[in-house]
Amino acid sequence: MERKAILIGNSDGIGLATTKRLLAAGWDVTGISRSKSSITSKAYHHNVADVSKGNYPDLLTKLISKNTINLCIYFVGIGELFDPSDMIYEPKIIDTNLTGMVRTASIVIPQMVKIGQGHFIGISSVADELLSAEAPSYHASKAGFSNYLESLALAVKSKGVYVTNLRFGFVDTKMAKGDIKPFMISIEKAVDHLETCINKKPFRYTAPKAVIPFIKFRKLMMKLIGK
Ligand SMILES: NC(=O)c1ccc[n+]([C@@H]2O[C@H](COP(=O)([O-])OP(=O)(O)OC[C@H]3O[C@@H](n4cnc5c(N)ncnc54)[C@H](OP(=O)(O)O)[C@@H]3O)[C@@H](O)[C@H]2O)c1
């Protein structure tokens, strides 16, 4: 049976590498990003759209009404360093990272529930556990992202639909900002973990595992120094 996937935010980084990996594995892939795609394959169909714009829900509804989608992955994520004198990016980051994902799930998941099968994966971050003076909206968007996805996983499991919250530490893309990037993994390693999630369908998955005790230690330090 030909497997069909729709990938949101796949013109660069982890999304682009995953697109290539799924095509190589024989999937039919539909992509959505603000930029055009460099991929030329009969099994690949690209759409230019911005998840924060008004025409996105109609486009997504049209695309999934044409095909039975087995897998949907939401990669879209933006982040800007906080500027207390100009907070113009703050609502945009929440809208793109969190509301954009909820908009996507609210269109894709009812389709999957209708046919009693499907898998929705959202790319979150271990930032979901940490407060941040450098990027408060990014951390808050991922905190809401993880909570929503894991609750959704509980809500639709009995309908034959799987939801996975994949929380990455640093991955070597243009998005990995900051001087220190502990336990950073390559894009290809990140896609290996994503393939494990596609096969095993966990409701929560953190990678690399080495980052888990590191985050616990940071939280403890933040509590102790009251920062
Ligand atoms: N890299 C890391 O260290 C790291 C760590 C933890 C979690 N993550 C998460 O992993 C996901 C992928 O990040 P990445 O590292 O691969 O970053 P990236 O290279 O910047 O990729 C982000 C993708 O999202 C698309 N995008 C951004 N805004 C969009 C919008 N409004 N509408 C549609 N598409 C949009 C971008 O394409 P266009 O610009 O063409 O739209 C691009 O294809 C993000 O959710 C990020 O938060 C990354």
Side-chain angles (χ1 to χ4, degrees):
M1 181 182 74
E2 187 179 45
R3 296 164 298 168
K4 291 183 183 283
I6 190 160
L7 277 55
I8 326 288
N10 72 326
S11 64
D12 200 353
I14 308 167
L16 180 58
T18 303
T19 305
K20 293 176 179 168
R21 186 82 68 93
L22 291 183
L23 287 170
W27 286 74
D28 178 276
V29 180
T30 297
I32 300 178
S33 272
R34 293 170 302 184
S35 312
K36 290 197 178 73
S37 173
S38 55
I39 295 181
T40 51
S41 155
K42 277 208 313 324
Y44 183 67
H45 328 282
H46 192 71
N47 303 269
V48 171
D50 181 329
V51 295
S52 62
K53 293 282 185 295
N55 67 340
Y56 171 66
D58 292 347
L59 168 72
L60 183 59
T61 304
K62 196 180 89 219
L63 290 173
I64 62 163
S65 61
K66 277 197 289 184
N67 300 293
T68 302
I69 295 293
N70 308 101
L71 172 68
C72 176
I73 311 177
Y74 191 85
F75 294 94
V76 176
I78 57 172
E80 293 295 336
L81 289 178
F82 180 65
D83 176 354
S85 63
D86 174 3
M87 293 172 65
I88 189 161
Y89 278 116
E90 297 298 283
K92 184 151 181 59
I93 291 166
I94 300 285
D95 190 45
T96 302
N97 296 3
L98 177 54
T99 316
M101 183 275 282
V102 176
R103 242 184 239 122
T104 304
S106 65
I107 292 167
V108 171
I109 291 201
Q111 278 289 92
M112 291 178 168
V113 166
K114 209 157 72 186
I115 58 174
Q117 57 101 6
H119 190 188
F120 187 96
I121 302 177
I123 309 301
S124 189
S125 166
V126 292
D128 65 1
E129 273 193 73
L130 297 170
L131 305 182
S132 167
E134 294 76 30
S137 57
Y138 181 80
H139 284 241
S141 73
K142 295 301 185 181
F145 192 109
S146 291
N147 185 293
Y148 183 78
L149 271 187
E150 293 178 21
S151 302
L152 208 52
L154 300 174
V156 298
K157 186 142 193 208
S158 62
K159 314 283 183 204
V161 177
Y162 293 89
V163 176
T164 297
N165 180 37
L166 172 46
R167 308 163 67 239
F168 278 126
F170 284 108
V171 180
D172 192 5
T173 74
K174 72 177 187 290
M175 191 166 208
K177 298 189 180 111
D179 308 334
I180 311 163
K181 301 168 192 162
F183 310 108
M184 184 157 75
I185 59 175
S186 69
I187 293 180
E188 287 311 314
K189 192 72 195 141
V191 181
D192 292 346
H193 287 293
L194 188 43
E195 275 199 314
T196 303
C197 290
I198 292 170
N199 299 329
K200 298 221 169 114
K201 302 182 173 60
F203 96 111
R204 166 186 267 232
Y205 185 99
T206 304
K209 293 286 173 270
V211 84
I212 297 172
F214 173 76
I215 295 294
K216 288 200 175 9
F217 176 72
R218 268 201 60 184
K219 281 174 75 175
L220 185 62
M221 285 304 110
M222 284 172 127
K223 219 181 256 147
L224 291 176
I225 55 184
K227 184 172 169 220

